[in-house]
Amino acid sequence: MRKLLRFMFLAYSLLLTGYFAQAQDRTITGHVTSADNLPVAGATVTVKGTQRSTTTDANGNFKISAKKGDVLQFTYVGMQAKEATVGNGSSIALELSSGENALGEVVVTALGIRKEQKALGYSVTQLNAQELMKNKNTNIVNSLAGKVPGVNVTQFSGAPGAGASITIRGATSTSETRQNQPLFVVDGIIYDNSTTVTGNTGTDGLSRSNTTYSNRVMDINPEDIETLSVLKGAAAAALYGARAADGVIVITTKKGAEGRVTVNVTSKVSTSWADKLPEAQTVFGPGSISSNGVVNTDSYNSWGPKIPSDSTIYNNIGNFFRHGLIYDNNVNVSGGSKNGSFYLSGSNFKQTGIVPGTGYDKTTFRFNGEQKYGRLTLNATTAYSVATTDRTLTSAGLYGSGVGSMQELYNWPQTYDIRNYINPNGTQHRIYSATITDLANDVDNPFWIINQDKLTSKTNRFTGGINGNFKITDWWDVTGRLGYDQYTTNDNTFIAPGSAVIAKYQNGRLSKDQVNYTYITTTVMTNFHKRISDFDTHLLLGTTSDDFNTNVQNLWGWNFSTPGTVSLNSIDLANKQFSDNTIRRRLVGVYGEVGVSYKDLIYLTATGRNDWSSTLPVANQSYFYPSVSGSFVFTQLLPKNNILSFGKLRGSWARVGKDANAYATNTYENPPVTILAGNGSYVGIGNQWQAGNATLIPEIQTSWEVGGEFRFLNGRIGVDYTYYHSQTANQIGSPRLAQSGGFIFSTLNAGTVINKGMEVALTGKIVSQKNFGWDATLNFSYNRGSLGAFIPGVQYFYPTDVQFGTIKAASIPNGGPFLGIIGQPFLREVDSKGIEISNGRYQIDPKTGFYKLNTNLPVVGNREPRYIGGFNNTFRYKNLSVNFLLDVRIGGDVFNGTEYFMVVNGLSKKTLLNDRQSVTLTGVSSVTGADTSVTYNAGQNYTIGTTTYAGTSMIYQYWQNYASNSSNFITKVNWLKLRSVSLAYDFTSMFKKQGVIKGLSATATGTNLLTWTNYKGMDPEVSVAGGTGGSGSTGIDYLGVPAVASFTFGVNLKF
Amino acid sequence: MKRSKYITLVCLLVLGLTSCKKWLDVNTDPDNPNNQSVPIANKLSWIQNYWKEPAGVTNMRTSCISGVIYAIAASQNTLSTTWQATNANSTTPYQAFFVGVSSNITDLYNSAQKQGAYHYMAAANVFHALGYMEMLDLYGEMPYTEAGTGIPSPKPDDGKTIFNGCMARLNEAISLFGKTQEAGVPSLSAGDILNNGDVNKWLKLCWGLKARYMLKLSKKAEFNADSVLYCLSKGPQSNADNTVEQNFNNSAATDFLEGDPISANGNYDFAGYGSNQRIAEYYYNLLTNIRGAGVGDPRMPKIVPASMANIQLNASTGKVASFTWLRSIGVNSYNATDKNPAPAGFPNRLVKGGATSIATVTVTSTPTSVVYPFTTSTAIADHPNFVASLLAAGKVPKNGSNMNDFADSGNYVRVTYKPGSVYIASTNYIQAGDTVYVNLRSNSLATTTVAQASNDVTWYPNLAAYNAGVVASTGSFQIRPVSDMEILMYHEMCFIKAEVYMRKGDAANAYTAYRAGIQAHLDYMQTKLTQWKGSFDKTSSGIANPDMNPMDQTAINTYLASNAVAQGAGTLTMSDIMLQKYIAMGVTIENWNDMRRFNFSAGNVGSFGVVYPGYQRGPLFTGQAQLTGSSPTDPRYWIRRWALPPTYEIQYNFINTTSLNPHATDPNIWSMPIWWDCATDAEYYGYLKP
């Protein structure tokens, strides 16, 4: 296949060479500086209309051959591009000015191709190193929050090493096994960003919810990043193929520049603390109430009698958390000569979490080098990282409240000191050991878990790429790339002997998971670039192959023979098991792009790609998708003016195909079970709970966007506007469906996800003077995700079947919200037609004595924010700069599951109403419709139906009834967050007289210091199960590790 | 030249595409077989072995309804005690059958059909019938024709369709078992755990199942007693024809869906796995005082568990030196009148403490004092009874400075439990006497906390108890890990025959069958108990578990000759037949099925009178929202079906489910009769109307 393509390119190029002749050139030299009169090293100088280019050296000097009348283009990432026409002279001096979204800025687009922003028919946002480092986060994904319109970042939890999920312009896939996160491409190589959750509650004993799992992009050292481009729409990303439907984030790492070797050292120390903790009532002690009023005080619920005034009350939740610490050290060395450059870096990031015993430690190394041999340029990038995470307690997670979640912390009776977790003889101190005789029926004290159990994760990752670029002529080049990404994750879970697990495991168990990910990619592409009078044309043809291989092995065993020897070797063979799973996925793509522009007025680009994916049935393996985009710089037609200095309209239409997950075409079997029966030995093999599908077709996303960019007052104010619409049809998924189908999940094509929205970015250089400057960026976006048609007969699409209290995450077919919430609100009074009156009074059911629930699963909320935005400000006064980033969200429902949980167990302060002596229900009878008001007093008995209940039981039941009304815990959340504020001082000017130190600066940064919100729970920025695909569990706040705020101090030294 | 260029191009294209295709051919999981490649013998073994999960959980939970088992666990307690049935009960049987079994049946049938393996097709049909009929018994309506095939959101079928479909499968199975398999296909014995490939036994199983299923139609005009008798004539003729799944305690491996031991009995997995289940008083009364005869059933000590009591440990070895067996009593939750002795000095234990309040015992290895406060007004009133019960139990009160067994200060009573005592570690005096409710628990390799030997399945609460040899439960005949999973038994055939003859008015034949049924069950038990003796009756103290040894022949003879068993056709009633069947069926769904056919204790079916006397709504009844009938003769007074699993079925299949039965999500769906429980189709379809 690829051979053939190469042959075709060759043929095409030979054909072209015949038509165009070479021109005569002379050498032009020059000097490029920035606004502060410093040389700009590494700026690209191109002879317009050709591929002839060079870069400036460390002193900002360059040499290039050009002829009179040629236009030289000067571009440098993050700075405004400029042009200069070659006149009679042989030297050119030029000043480049910096600024985000500057007019004519060059951005990195698909396949690493740099293009002028004005040429693009779609929206791309690029962030440079400086911007990313303003509020550095070891997870680069978190650094994007609030900075890019249309991008939604959700931090999984406040646990160290916890990942974050990122979605661009809304999620496009409904199913929990499908990714909705953008593709990450680092230096041209697809960089795996999965959040691999190994093991399970069945084999590992602790809920390994992915709220404490890293997303693998965290393996990148953020300091190594030169630029980060967010390609939002399908048109921008179409050339990347299958996974580009969710957008692409293109990262380019740093390179060395020609000149003296530079050493850069950065050190940071940071402290973090729990932002906000749930509050527990301290009036009533442990107990549960039965219907006749009998109280059982041996209970983890807090519905018992009043706590006597002389009792000690423990602040269990407060006593649990501590301050976290981060030490972050980076060093990099770079340099280069005329024909080669290098960049070498090392970093260590060491964090201890707010939950004792948790931590994250990441060490990274990177070497990037480049060498030129005449027309051939070779560069290599390599990175190695080792990341370890110590985790213990997790959020309850989308998959329920497994053992080891934060649940018990938010449940522990306040009269017992949760810190008292171990007996002198080393066994677990159990507060109800008398009545909960069976250890297996008890729960683990959270302190037992953090001190006795051990959960660790270690990832060693190597990524590398070799790029070769050969300039055949100045208008034609060929690029070849070989990329490799490999990591091994080792997860260990040790459940200590004496834990509250089923009998078999009470003597301890150990589970070891190893994930081996290997990815090899090859790319060959060729570029033709030709200017024919006023028309600038280019053609790109390429082919790529991707080979993904993941192997997951699990070893586990239980019952250690020798106490203290925690090893699989210390386990009898009969108590050991292992499993082995290999996932292979391969893809071949052939793509092309053709573009033409007229003067600097109109730009048109069309792309096409055909993929062959191994994951689809053979008959459906091949699929093609095209895109077209265009941009019209209408200000070219207007007379030059200072009011509207630049104006551009753009539009694009694209289609992207998305393949299936590996092995989705077959139904697979469970591991064999040996059954020793009376007649002998048999081996049983049965189906797994997922059904395959041999007739899958690719998922197809069709999208379009229109927008414009406008610069006013010589570019001091800029507006960028985009409206987009995308529709992802033939959704491949393996949704949970009725189990009568014989499976829990069935793979199929069904449903359409529609996203539409708008993005606005305003940039302003409000003050721009020598000693004082104020730059501000305001961005603002919304997305409306909805589910189109779905499987006939299926009312809602649920990403999972686990509920939190009475609510469920669901997507609502036929135009309903993608991020819907299904629940059971109280029924309200009905009008004469039997229709519920909105905001009418609640119905009281005389059969139960309480408010009546609507059991018909109505939609009770939409978790998608109405608007999100960011306001980023930088003030500069001489050497001091202050930056603050405000993050805004308006609307979007959040379910406060933690409060729900604490109402149910009686720890919520809400339940102190009337000192638990009485409750009153008012509304209408669900039978007669008559006005009804009932009061239940603690001292009385009540007969409902034929049963008599004690008043205390009725009050208890009132609160259970209150808890079952999902609407009581749903808030339409608005927030304004001071995401970060940082202060930096540059001491460089103090070192002018000597030659060693080139720069010194210090920074102080606070993150999440202030949040103004109407949300009453811990933190509205929540996702209980992290990066779960589909509509996931964003907006569901359920027993999580609290979010953290932090303060960081750092110094940066350059010499 | 030009042409050759094109030819080269085309050649390259073809070559490229072929190698590309090959390179892309990696979409078959190298580590796991798929449902097309699995040998049929392995599929059959899987189905047979996994069937015990849905059957076991169904047996346990329906036995909570029928009065065999009392359960503490909140959701099963609603079936056994409050009748405020919760959807939480509906989930496991449904998932275990549909996800664990149903798609495998479809695959087995199709794979076997391709190969001409007729006996495997037939076996698939039998499990189809067993499975879907049980689902019908529980849920009334659910997907059937579109079920088990991976079709998303299959449409549900009504009860009549499902019933007829299952019968047709049995008929097909009978004809397929009669065929010779194509050459080269695996013989049935290769995968047949149940009957080791014995086709004749399979045929008897088919006919026996047909009889069982036809009997369900007894309320209907089309019920044909002679057809049932014909089926019976071709079904099992003796205990040798029983189809059981033998179970073993030989593996700690657990299954993929429910995490239960792969080798153990399904009833054990749900009723004997934890400490939550006890014998209910309804069953207990039948085993101790059937027909008011006051004669103990010889089966009683094998079914009702015992624990050690009055234990003296040997001072030097720490082992049990002397003890008595404390036979459990039943937990009363069905009847306002507790016929049991009053533990801790007060009757109606559940009413006193709450529906789920019965506490589980522990064993102490050191002298342990528990101080019971009697400070509330209720407790003060109970105080004299409590002290009296201590005295009655032979406990010696404090005498001067001699602390003895207990001390009474009026407001507080301190009881000292000696080392080795089985006691309740709670200071709540109400629970102090709960040692009389021995739980049905057994230990298996997969659940033991003390690493006991595989031939010891008794329950020790902790290591100290194990080391001392203090047995806290001897277990129950049908609920041990090593108990048989009873698929179809000869004694059931006898009782069906007895019922059918009774319906025909032929009391003489009914009587013969009735006696044969009792005898068959006694024989079956005796055979099993004899097998266990010396092999599975071990305990850590070396004292054999007496409940796993044969019944006393004298007791059997006495019982059979007593008024506990009808002594002639003249005195035989339908109730006698059904109650003896109830005892023999024990922990199976068939008791609840039979009770529905006779409207429980309403007494309004035919002229048979009250067939299940004493079975009533209990004093802790809170199920008025679920069971909306106002009197026992109202069909909707009783638990007549289960709600479909709210998540696993209704949530994902809401539109289809409610379009067939708009009441599927109503709280009182629990009292809606299913198709075979209705006298006419009109009655049934009337219920399904909006």
Side-chain angles (χ1 to χ4, degrees), chain A residues 1 4 434 438 503-504 582 586 614 663 667-669 679 682-683 685 687 739-741 794 798 801 808 944 947, chain B residues 13 23-24 27 31 33 35 42-43 98 103-104 107 143 148 150 153 193 252 425 441 447 621 648-649 651-652:
Chain A
M1 192 76 241
L4 166 75
D438 230 341
K504 182 169 149 180
T582 308
R586 287 176 177 172
S614 70
Y663 310 147
T667 300
Y668 287 93
E669 301 297 296
N679 304 319
Y682 298 85
V683 174
I685 304 176
N687 289 338
Q739 296 190 357
S740 51
V794 179
Y798 298 93
D801 55 29
K808 276 172 173 300
I944 309 290
T947 309
Chain B
L13 197 77
W23 192 71
L24 289 173
N27 206 31
D31 296 314
N35 64 345
N42 298 120
K43 272 275 160 172
F98 279 107
S103 69
N104 293 294
D107 289 344
S153 303
I193 299 175
R441 186 166 181 169
T447 64
F621 175 82
Y648 295 165
E649 187 62 39
Q651 161 175 303
Y652 295 116

Side-chain angles (χ1 to χ4, degrees), chain B residues 180-514:
Chain B
T180 308
Q181 298 205 106
E182 297 298 327
V185 303
S187 73
L188 185 58
S189 62
D192 179 13
I193 299 175
L194 296 185
N195 292 327
N196 198 22
D198 183 340
V199 170
N200 282 327
K201 257 181 108 171
W202 276 96
L203 281 166
K204 285 176 177 163
L205 171 62
C206 293
W207 286 106
L209 287 174
K210 285 188 68 166
R212 177 194 282 175
Y213 297 160
M214 283 179 177
L215 190 69
K216 290 183 199 290
L217 309 181
S218 65
K219 280 187 180 174
K220 298 186 184 291
E222 61 260 43
F223 175 72
N224 186 333
D226 292 329
S227 297
V228 179
L229 290 173
Y230 176 77
C231 294
L232 288 171
S233 72
K234 307 193 92 172
Q237 302 302 313
S238 74
N239 280 341
D241 294 339
N242 287 347
T243 294
V244 300
E245 185 187 312
Q246 294 182 55
N247 294 293
F248 296 86
N249 188 31
N250 55 17
S251 164
T254 50
D255 82 87
F256 83 116
L257 202 55
E258 316 295 346
D260 284 324
I262 279 168
S263 69
N265 169 23
N267 287 354
Y268 160 75
D269 289 345
F270 294 92
Y273 189 104
S275 310
N276 291 336
Q277 282 71 238
R278 287 161 180 80
I279 288 287
E281 197 191 54
Y282 193 78
Y283 194 24
Y284 179 79
N285 287 345
L286 292 178
L287 287 167
T288 50
N289 191 26
I290 194 170
R291 302 181 98 235
V295 177
D297 192 312
R299 294 168 289 191
M300 190 279 259
K302 311 299 167 187
I303 293 168
V304 178
S307 84
M308 287 184 176
N310 300 319
I311 296 151
Q312 293 286 343
L313 297 184
N314 181 314
S316 57
T317 63
K319 292 265 180 199
V320 172
S322 71
F323 71 98
T324 55
W325 287 113
L326 171 69
R327 186 65 54 193
S328 180
I329 60 172
V331 180
N332 176 38
S333 57
Y334 289 85
N335 202 303
T337 340
D338 191 350
K339 292 189 177 126
N340 281 317
F346 47 85
N348 284 322
R349 167 67 186 79
L350 284 187
V351 176
K352 190 86 193 172
T356 60
S357 63
I358 290 189
T360 298
V361 299
T362 187
V363 172
T364 176
S365 52
T366 53
T368 302
S369 291
V370 179
V371 178
Y372 301 96
F374 288 85
T375 45
T376 66
S377 57
T378 330
I380 290 165
D382 284 331
H383 176 255
N385 288 340
F386 183 77
V387 174
S389 75
L390 292 175
L391 291 168
K395 304 255 183 199
V396 182
K398 179 185 172 194
N399 185 359
S401 63
N402 191 343
M403 298 309 287
N404 286 334
D405 294 330
F406 75 98
D408 179 13
S409 77
N411 277 347
Y412 294 91
V413 174
R414 190 193 63 229
V415 179
T416 305
Y417 297 95
K418 290 178 199 148
S421 290
V422 177
Y423 79 114
I424 307 287
S426 161
T427 57
N428 184 348
Y429 73 94
I430 293 169
Q431 296 177 321
D434 287 353
T435 47
V436 299
Y437 304 112
V438 179
N439 68 51
L440 293 169
R441 186 166 181 169
S442 279
N443 274 344
S444 71
L445 285 182
T447 64
T448 173
T449 52
V450 295
Q452 66 202 61
S454 64
N455 57 8
D456 177 0
V457 294
T458 58
W459 177 56
Y460 309 93
N462 51 36
L463 188 60
Y466 179 72
N467 290 337
V470 179
V471 173
S473 174
T474 54
S476 178
F477 183 75
Q478 286 177 304
I479 304 178
R480 296 190 179 96
V482 296
S483 301
D484 288 344
M485 191 82 200
E486 299 167 17
I487 308 282
L488 188 87
M489 308 297 282
Y490 172 61
H491 56 251
E492 184 189 356
M493 300 296 104
C494 296
F495 290 117
I496 293 174
K497 193 188 259 182
E499 179 191 335
V500 171
Y501 275 121
M502 203 67 179
R503 285 178 181 275
K504 284 169 66 90
D506 183 346
N509 271 320
Y511 179 71
T512 311
Y514 161 77

Side-chain angles (χ1 to χ4, degrees), chain A residues 640-664:
Chain A
K640 263 226 171 341
N641 67 83
N642 285 341
I643 311 294
L644 179 61
S645 33
F646 175 79
K648 165 190 151 184
L649 297 174
R650 59 169 193 255
S652 68
W653 176 93
R655 180 165 270 179
V656 177
K658 201 171 175 181
D659 57 0
N661 293 356
Y663 310 147

Side-chain angles (χ1 to χ4, degrees), chain A residues 696-716:
Chain A
L696 287 177
I697 55 170
E699 192 170 304
I700 294 289
Q701 183 187 100
T702 309
S703 70
W704 53 264
E705 67 174 79
V706 290
E709 285 168 60
F710 312 93
R711 311 284 144 158
F712 303 95
L713 308 174
N714 282 331
R716 276 184 68 176

Side-chain angles (χ1 to χ4, degrees), chain A residues 115-193:
Chain A
K115 286 186 178 171
E116 283 181 276
Q117 186 127 20
K118 67 182 174 190
L120 301 179
Y122 42 79
S123 169
V124 170
T125 304
Q126 179 167 293
L127 299 174
N128 60 22
Q130 198 191 349
E131 184 54 46
L132 289 169
M133 284 306 107
K134 271 179 190 161
N135 57 339
K136 180 186 170 185
N137 188 302
T138 195
N139 189 355
I140 192 66
V141 165
N142 280 327
S143 300
L144 301 181
K147 291 181 184 167
V148 185
V151 168
N152 201 347
V153 173
T154 307
Q155 168 89 44
F156 294 169
S157 77
S165 77
I166 175 168
T167 51
I168 299 175
R169 293 182 177 175
T172 59
S173 285
T174 46
S175 235
E176 65 187 309
T177 54
R178 301 282 281 172
Q179 276 289 341
N180 280 319
Q181 299 197 59
L183 183 67
F184 280 80
V185 177
V186 178
D187 295 327
I189 299 159
I190 293 176
Y191 194 86
D192 182 65
N193 182 36

Side-chain angles (χ1 to χ4, degrees), chain A residues 1-4 7-8 290-292 294-296 298 433-435 437-438 441 502-506 545-547 551 556 558-559 574-575 577 580-588 612-618 621 661-679 681-689 691 736-744 746 748 791-796 798-803 808 847-848 855-857 944-947 949, chain B residues 5 9 12-13 15-17 19-36 38-39 41-43 45-46 49 84 94-95 98-100 102-104 107 132 143 146-154 189-196 246 248 250-254 256-257 262 273 275-276 350-354 360-362 424-426 430-431 441 445-449 451 459 461 619-622 624-625 628 647-649 651-656 665:
Chain A
M1 192 76 241
R2 278 159 294 150
K3 271 183 201 155
L4 166 75
F7 171 78
M8 284 168 69
S290 68
S291 63
N292 52 5
V294 175
V295 179
N296 174 13
D298 289 356
S433 58
T435 37
T437 50
D438 230 341
N441 291 344
I502 61 166
K504 182 169 149 180
Y505 305 128
Q506 282 174 9
S545 71
D546 294 321
D547 185 357
N551 179 257
W556 67 291
W558 60 95
N559 196 1
N575 296 336
Q577 296 184 9
D580 188 10
N581 285 293
T582 308
I583 299 155
R584 293 177 298 176
R585 198 161 76 78
R586 287 176 177 172
L587 189 122
V588 174
W612 289 263
S613 167
S614 70
T615 64
L616 292 163
V618 174
Q621 260 177 1
N661 293 356
Y663 310 147
T665 50
N666 278 322
T667 300
Y668 287 93
E669 301 297 296
N670 283 306
V673 294
T674 300
I675 307 137
L676 300 167
N679 304 319
S681 175
Y682 298 85
V683 174
I685 304 176
N687 289 338
Q688 290 181 4
W689 52 48
R736 286 166 191 269
L737 289 167
Q739 296 190 357
S740 51
F743 300 89
I744 298 177
S746 291
L748 47 103
I791 306 166
V794 179
Q795 189 189 21
Y796 301 129
Y798 298 93
T800 163
D801 55 29
V802 176
Q803 288 184 323
K808 276 172 173 300
K847 270 191 207 150
T848 63
T855 55
N856 275 331
L857 311 175
I944 309 290
T946 55
T947 309
Y949 295 93
Chain B
K5 218 178 193 175
L9 230 150
L12 277 168
L13 197 77
L15 214 98
L17 282 175
S19 71
C20 181
K21 278 251 178 316
K22 208 169 170 190
W23 192 71
L24 289 173
D25 184 20
V26 290
N27 206 31
T28 305
D29 186 342
D31 296 314
N32 295 293
N34 59 51
N35 64 345
Q36 306 301 310
V38 174
N42 298 120
K43 272 275 160 172
S45 298
W46 171 277
N49 185 59
Q84 189 181 337
Y94 205 78
Q95 182 178 65
F98 279 107
V99 179
S102 77
S103 69
N104 293 294
D107 289 344
Y132 286 98
E146 293 184 354
T149 53
I151 293 177
S153 303
S189 62
D192 179 13
I193 299 175
L194 296 185
N195 292 327
N196 198 22
Q246 294 182 55
F248 296 86
N250 55 17
S251 164
T254 50
F256 83 116
L257 202 55
I262 279 168
Y273 189 104
S275 310
N276 291 336
L350 284 187
V351 176
K352 190 86 193 172
T360 298
V361 299
T362 187
I424 307 287
S426 161
I430 293 169
Q431 296 177 321
R441 186 166 181 169
L445 285 182
T447 64
T448 173
T449 52
W459 177 56
L620 295 169
F621 175 82
T622 52
Q624 60 269 46
T628 41
T647 304
Y648 295 165
E649 187 62 39
Q651 161 175 303
Y652 295 116
N653 209 359
F654 188 87
I655 295 169
N656 287 333
T665 60

